[in-house]
Amino acid sequence: QEYPNGKHDRGAGVMSISSDDIVTMGKSNPSYQGAMNSDKTIIAGTSTWDRPGATADMSVMTKKGSSYSLSDLQGTWEVSTLASGPLAPYWERGPITFADAGGGYSGTLETSAGGSKPVSGKFSIRSDGIMQRVPADTASCGMDANKTIVACTETRTDGGSDSTVLSVWTRKGDSYSSDDLTGLWEVNSMASGPGAPWWQRGTLTILPGGTFSATYQQSDGTPVDVSGTIGIDDDIVQMDTGTDLNMLCTMDSSKTVTVCTATWALGNTAGTTSLTISVKKGQ
């Protein structure tokens, strides 16, 4: 593993997976719990660091495919980003398009501050799916074997201070319907800002017609039950839970992963930003 300070680390341990797709790490990280999507190409999970000053952590693992090329980037991707550190609370979300085979992209992202942010640049991709910006900077990404999910980490410097950033991209599919939402999903969320350190995880059940119910556990042990309605237009998923939560989600073209950004609006944690990754459970 590589860290923002440039250090590298090697680890070892045992990972286990239950018949219902729940992934754990045993003694190496007893607080970790993740979930694998039904296509078995990504694992999203949360944990609490076992060190002074508890810190919430989210990880996204992408299974490597046999080979990759720049053509695998072509098309439109929806980007969802969460920042921690001095930039927080902060998210970005919106589409970017790779319009040619050279790795160049452009798009416009919405920010949690209420503005828009034009973005453009170029990525390279190695044969093992590792992506980097050109010219090289701190951004490093991995593409899953289905070539529908990209997960990136980077360090952004603002005013002399460094913030760490997690971005998850979902490849845009040709069409979507409410039937694509129906089923069981495992949900993992992480926050930055006033409400952090915080994670939430649990099971979301979406019924035909768009009603849903969910049972979550938060990082402090608090159980949470949520219900409401959910719908999808193009690849944009919106939930109505009866609360003022600025949440918007996107679904990948394999229809097994959704990624959401949100801003909390209630109580003394108002303004907190969060990133949520949900994976559809296998049969």
Side-chain angles (χ1 to χ4, degrees), residues 88-102:
Y90 183 80
W91 52 250
E92 296 170 353
R93 62 193 183 201
I96 61 172
T97 299
F98 290 81
D100 58 58

Side-chain angles (χ1 to χ4, degrees), residues 15-175:
M15 296 184 71
S16 302
I17 185 167
S18 67
S19 59
D20 60 350
D21 314 323
I22 300 301
V23 179
T24 54
M25 290 187 175
K27 293 181 180 180
S28 62
N29 189 351
S31 70
Y32 176 86
Q33 181 176 301
M36 179 183 286
N37 68 327
S38 57
D39 284 349
K40 304 180 180 180
T41 62
I42 83 157
I43 297 173
T46 47
S47 65
T48 300
W49 289 13
D50 184 16
R51 60 184 66 182
T55 299
D57 173 76
M58 173 178 278
S59 63
V60 183
M61 305 182 199
T62 54
K63 178 171 278 190
K64 287 183 178 293
S66 57
S67 65
Y68 296 85
S69 68
L70 282 173
S71 62
D72 296 324
L73 287 170
Q74 287 186 263
T76 298
W77 300 77
E78 291 284 349
V79 176
S80 297
T81 295
L82 183 72
S84 63
L87 275 178
Y90 183 80
W91 52 250
E92 296 170 353
R93 62 193 183 201
I96 61 172
T97 299
F98 290 81
D100 58 58
Y105 70 91
S106 63
T108 300
L109 306 181
E110 177 189 358
T111 73
S112 54
S116 60
K117 177 182 176 181
V119 294
S120 61
K122 187 176 182 179
F123 271 92
S124 64
I125 186 167
R126 300 187 332 208
S127 60
D128 63 354
I130 299 301
M131 298 164 46
Q132 291 185 310
R133 283 203 191 95
V134 179
D137 61 6
T138 63
S140 181
C141 312
M143 182 183 288
D144 78 320
N146 268 353
K147 304 178 181 180
T148 67
I149 297 292
V150 171
C152 306
T153 53
E154 66 177 300
T155 301
R156 296 185 185 177
T157 301
D158 183 51
S161 298
D162 291 339
S163 295
T164 53
V165 175
L166 171 65
S167 298
V168 183
W169 309 1
T170 56
R171 182 186 288 279
K172 194 176 181 71
D174 293 330
S175 64

Side-chain angles (χ1 to χ4, degrees), residues 85-277:
L87 275 178
Y90 183 80
W91 52 250
E92 296 170 353
R93 62 193 183 201
I96 61 172
T97 299
F98 290 81
D100 58 58
Y105 70 91
S106 63
T108 300
L109 306 181
E110 177 189 358
T111 73
S112 54
S116 60
K117 177 182 176 181
V119 294
S120 61
K122 187 176 182 179
F123 271 92
S124 64
I125 186 167
R126 300 187 332 208
S127 60
D128 63 354
I130 299 301
M131 298 164 46
Q132 291 185 310
R133 283 203 191 95
V134 179
D137 61 6
T138 63
S140 181
C141 312
M143 182 183 288
D144 78 320
N146 268 353
K147 304 178 181 180
T148 67
I149 297 292
V150 171
C152 306
T153 53
E154 66 177 300
T155 301
R156 296 185 185 177
T157 301
D158 183 51
S161 298
D162 291 339
S163 295
T164 53
V165 175
L166 171 65
S167 298
V168 183
W169 309 1
T170 56
R171 182 186 288 279
K172 194 176 181 71
D174 293 330
S175 64
Y176 296 85
S177 73
S178 59
D179 291 341
D180 299 325
L181 295 168
T182 302
L184 297 178
W185 299 76
E186 284 292 335
V187 180
N188 281 273
S189 304
M190 186 178 69
S192 69
W198 175 94
W199 54 251
Q200 180 172 270
R201 60 196 183 202
T203 302
L204 168 69
T205 303
I206 304 176
L207 300 177
T211 60
F212 75 86
S213 61
T215 300
Y216 300 131
Q217 180 186 7
Q218 297 184 348
S219 48
D220 64 0
T222 302
V224 177
D225 293 321
V226 181
S227 61
T229 59
I230 187 169
I232 186 167
D233 182 9
D234 201 357
D235 65 337
I236 304 300
V237 182
Q238 289 187 295
M239 283 185 169
D240 182 2
T241 62
T243 60
D244 185 14
L245 184 67
N246 179 19
M247 176 178 279
L248 184 146
C249 313
T250 62
M251 178 181 284
D252 77 321
S253 58
S254 75
K255 303 178 181 180
T256 65
V257 179
T258 65
V259 184
C260 313
T261 49
T263 301
W264 302 2
L266 301 176
N268 58 8
T269 58
T272 299
T273 50
S274 62
L275 180 73
T276 299
I277 302 173

